[in-house]
Amino acid sequence: MAVQLKFYGTEVTNTNEHSLDVFVNSQLEITVRIKDESVDHDYNIQVVSLDKQTAIRLSRELRKQIALLD
């Protein structure tokens, strides 16, 4: 099953035209892609692929940072 989630930035930080895609690539890694939707250039996309262990560490760190918002 192929699932791809897309998130957008906020208007408050003026990042609402930036998107973040998360999906599993063909090498079975978690790929995170950030794209500036307001421009159409070859360099408006940044990609990082993470192995499972690193993706788990990232998710833990995100949870910690989210907890700091409360």
Side-chain angles (χ1 to χ4, degrees):
M1 174 185 355
V3 175
Q4 182 173 343
L5 292 177
K6 183 174 279 213
F7 302 91
Y8 289 92
T10 66
E11 290 182 8
V12 173
T13 57
N14 198 28
T15 57
N16 56 318
E17 296 208 21
H18 292 79
S19 65
L20 184 142
D21 301 321
V22 181
F23 57 93
V24 175
N25 66 24
S26 60
Q27 288 79 34
L28 298 178
E29 297 172 322
I30 303 296
T31 296
V32 178
R33 178 174 54 204
I34 298 175
K35 181 179 181 183
D36 183 349
E37 304 276 352
S38 66
V39 295
D40 191 23
H41 297 288
D42 293 338
Y43 54 83
N44 68 331
I45 299 173
Q46 300 296 316
V47 177
V48 63
S49 294
L50 308 170
D51 61 21
K52 183 177 179 178
Q53 183 179 12
T54 305
I56 290 169
R57 288 178 55 207
L58 173 62
S59 81
R60 288 179 183 152
E61 183 59 30
L62 285 171
R63 286 186 190 111
K64 287 179 192 176
Q65 296 299 322
I66 290 167
L68 294 174
L69 296 175
D70 294 333

